[in-house]
Amino acid sequence: MVNAILMQLRDTAVIMGVIALVGLLLQKKSAVDVFSGTVKTIIGFLIFNIGSDAMSAQITIFSDMAHDLMHTRR
């Protein structure tokens, strides 16, 4: 149980959400602004990670094709 919680806390989206939460609290924003800002940061970072994973997968495919064309391997 504790291990599962620690694994979630190491997620970059959660870390960025905590940073946004602290920043909004230091600015003395309202509870609604703090909640929505934190959630938007976490969701935005999750979407960014999904997009970067997809891009990375495509680059790997093209890299393998280029190596096959040039008859080189790493």
Side-chain angles (χ1 to χ4, degrees):
M1 173 85 175
V2 173
N3 194 22
I5 293 171
L6 288 176
M7 290 301 292
Q8 289 299 319
L9 290 177
R10 291 183 185 149
D11 187 23
T12 55
V14 174
I15 293 170
M16 293 305 293
V18 169
I19 291 170
L21 174 74
V22 170
L24 291 167
L25 288 173
L26 287 174
Q27 293 178 25
K28 298 180 181 173
K29 297 286 185 175
S30 67
V32 173
D33 288 340
V34 170
F35 179 76
S36 67
T38 303
V39 170
K40 287 178 185 179
T41 301
I42 292 172
I43 291 173
F45 220 84
L46 288 172
I47 292 170
F48 177 77
N49 284 339
I50 292 169
S52 64
D53 288 343
M55 182 66 85
S56 175
Q58 294 303 316
I59 289 173
T60 302
I61 291 170
F62 285 118
S63 174
D64 291 342
M65 288 173 35
H67 284 290
D68 290 342
L69 276 172
M70 296 179 213
H71 303 292
T72 60
R73 274 285 143 197
R74 295 173 251 177

